Amino acid sequence: MATLFWVMTCGGALIWAGTVAVLLYAVRRRTLYSEPAASRLIFWAGAVFPAITLILLLGYALWLMPSLRPLAQPGAPTLRIEVTGRQYWWRVIYRQPGTPPVVSANEIRLPVGERVEFTLKSDDVIHSFWIPALGGKMDMIPGRENRLSLRATKPGTFRGPCTEFCGTSHALMAFSAVAMEPAEFRQWLAGQHVPSAGATGTGARLFIRHGCGACHAVAGTEATGMLGPDLSHLGSRETLGAGILPNSQDNIARFIAEPDVIKPGVQMPGFDMLPPDDIEAIASWLKGLK
Amino acid sequence: MVWRFLPPQVESLWTLFTAPVVWAIHFLICYVGAAVFCAKPGLFDVDFGAVRAGIAFATLLALSAILLAGILAWRQWGFGAGDPPHDDPTRHDRGLFQGFATLLLAGLSFIAVIMTALPALFVTGCLR
Ligand SMILES: [Cu+2]
């Protein structure tokens, strides 16, 4: 990418300098050239040269393409992350050959230095997936699977906003991408395969009793809903509500009570009619799901 | 002179569009062909190499056709004997003008056909 930038900048600068030099020469020169000579200049410098330059540039860009967008590469990437846009959150599924998929939401983790292939989908309207720090954006279109290949080169947490207007809370739809050292990443992913240690208990019972399980799944409990984000390891995510609030117990409680105040148009009903103690208990239990 | 072997001159406005039409057909062959091949894996019993070879063949054919159209246009333009703009209200000037315009379009189409075919040089398979 950096090479491409320098090639384009230097090439453009050379052509610009050449054009300006010819312009200055034309302004200074007193005598006129013959008309055929001028025609020749226009033909070679105005038609042949740009045509050849453009063909060379196109060839160069196409030659770069396989490394930017690996198409039918034999060594297919081992890690595939499927991200589905929903109003107004993201379902994230990690797929690796030989192991069951890991379902998560609103946060994407990737190993530094490895190419990861994203499969981008949408369940309702058009969304757009973009992690500016890592690469270009790509739309998520209902009924289509778009593919994007990204490689994080240094560890860190990068923000990814939804970049296609998708409804009232479009501006409140984001996620964080956490690039981790590969060993650390593998360890984290292995942890996601098993239910959180705190998945049982009073919180779990209340969660089921109040019907949250119809929309949310929590591994290790009866909750298997798919309409809302998977909450199996909610406690270990950095943000809440698709990248808009810090993930604290208070914020979880607030989100349960009045999601529509936090995110207008949200697809989750408010539960402010529940006894505050129950909300607190559920929030504390969810925060404990690491 | 070789020019004697060229077909006799056709006096019609339609020859103006020969090269762009070849370009359009070549474009459709390349893109529709590759798209159908990749979308219907079972339909053809060949690999992607054959698609690239087909595109190469279609490209050679298209370039030759455009080249021929260009040579005919050059003749119509009197092999560049006079200079544009050829804007006298005479039959003669009209012919020269059309020849020149056809020649320019042939040049444009020639480059466009090359650019259309260029991806096939680097793309080695379908995204599946
Ligand atoms: Cu969106």
Side-chain angles (χ1 to χ4, degrees):
Chain A
M1 206 39 90
T3 336
L4 177 65
F5 175 79
W6 287 116
V7 168
M8 294 304 289
T9 311
C10 296
L14 275 179
I15 293 178
W16 179 82
T19 314
V20 171
V22 173
L23 181 72
L24 287 179
Y25 176 73
V27 170
R28 295 272 162 100
R29 201 186 144 92
R30 305 259 162 227
T31 54
L32 286 176
Y33 276 108
S34 69
E35 216 169 286
S39 298
R40 265 203 307 282
L41 179 72
I42 290 176
F43 178 71
W44 287 106
V48 177
F49 174 72
I52 291 176
T53 314
L54 283 178
I55 289 181
L56 290 181
L57 279 178
L58 181 63
Y60 179 53
L62 288 167
W63 174 73
L64 280 178
M65 207 129 92
S67 65
L68 296 181
R69 295 247 163 95
L71 297 171
Q73 270 194 353
T78 48
L79 179 63
R80 254 212 171 120
I81 307 184
E82 179 183 312
V83 186
T84 309
R86 307 269 320 219
Q87 281 171 326
Y88 303 97
W89 58 282
W90 320 79
R91 173 177 299 127
V92 182
I93 305 180
Y94 299 81
R95 292 186 194 280
Q96 243 176 336
T99 53
V102 167
V103 184
S104 175
N106 296 335
E107 186 173 276
I108 293 168
R109 304 215 175 199
L110 25 147
V112 170
E114 290 178 23
R115 204 157 259 298
V116 175
E117 194 168 309
F118 287 90
T119 308
L120 305 175
K121 307 186 192 176
S122 167
D123 276 352
D124 38 40
V125 298
I126 301 179
H127 302 273
S128 193
F129 178 92
W130 190 25
I131 311 172
L134 298 187
K137 69 177 160 185
M138 188 165 284
D139 280 359
M140 308 169 116
I141 300 169
R144 277 195 65 103
E145 269 187 24
N146 283 342
R147 301 217 205 150
L148 181 68
S149 150
L150 296 177
R151 190 161 61 94
T153 48
K154 52 174 181 277
T157 302
F158 313 107
R159 198 179 134 84
C162 177
T163 37
E164 181 69 48
F165 182 77
C166 58
T168 341
S169 279
H170 159 68
L172 300 174
M173 173 171 174
F175 63 89
S176 34
V178 185
M180 317 162 81
E181 292 303 339
E184 211 185 322
F185 173 78
R186 299 264 125 67
Q187 199 183 347
W188 171 83
L189 194 62
Q192 300 288 304
H193 279 290
V194 288
S196 163
T200 50
T202 332
R205 251 178 298 163
L206 290 170
F207 190 78
I208 301 292
R209 169 144 30 103
H210 294 307
C212 316
C215 297
H216 294 287
V218 177
T221 72
E222 292 160 40
T224 51
M226 290 292 284
L227 292 175
D230 185 293
L231 302 178
S232 301
H233 300 273
L234 178 73
S236 58
R237 285 185 215 151
E238 300 195 347
T239 60
L240 185 75
I244 57 168
L245 292 173
N247 189 2
S248 67
Q249 185 180 328
D250 283 352
N251 282 336
I252 298 180
R254 236 187 99 210
F255 198 95
I256 298 173
E258 43 186 29
D260 49 328
V261 175
I262 299 173
K263 286 180 100 160
V266 76
Q267 310 274 339
M268 166 164 158
F271 286 87
D272 48 357
M273 69 294 193
L274 296 186
D277 287 350
D278 285 10
I279 296 186
E280 273 313 317
I282 294 177
S284 138
W285 172 70
L286 284 174
K287 181 64 192 154
L289 297 177
K290 301 281 175 169
Chain B
M1 276 285 279
V2 261
W3 309 122
R4 279 183 295 129
F5 299 108
L6 289 178
Q9 192 152 326
V10 186
E11 280 224 23
S12 155
L13 184 66
W14 296 107
T15 55
L16 180 65
F17 305 109
T18 319
V21 166
V22 172
W23 165 21
I25 294 173
H26 172 264
F27 182 93
L28 288 177
I29 289 177
C30 291
Y31 277 71
V32 175
V36 172
F37 177 84
C38 285
K40 305 259 177 222
L43 200 58
F44 307 95
D45 194 26
V46 292
D47 66 348
F48 199 77
V51 176
R52 295 170 82 190
I55 290 179
F57 179 69
T59 305
L60 283 182
L61 217 64
L63 289 181
S64 327
I66 291 174
L67 200 67
L68 182 66
I71 291 175
L72 291 178
W74 190 28
R75 177 180 67 181
Q76 193 181 6
W77 185 39
F79 301 111
D83 279 334
H86 310 299
D87 52 0
D88 285 341
T90 59
R91 188 188 172 84
H92 178 69
D93 252 27
R94 197 184 62 212
L96 290 182
F97 176 81
Q98 195 192 327
F100 187 48
T102 312
L103 182 62
L104 292 181
L105 279 175
L108 177 70
S109 308
F110 195 86
I111 294 167
V113 164
I114 293 178
M115 287 184 169
T116 306
L118 215 48
L121 220 54
F122 300 94
V123 176
T124 51
C126 302
L127 172 64
R128 290 230 165 95

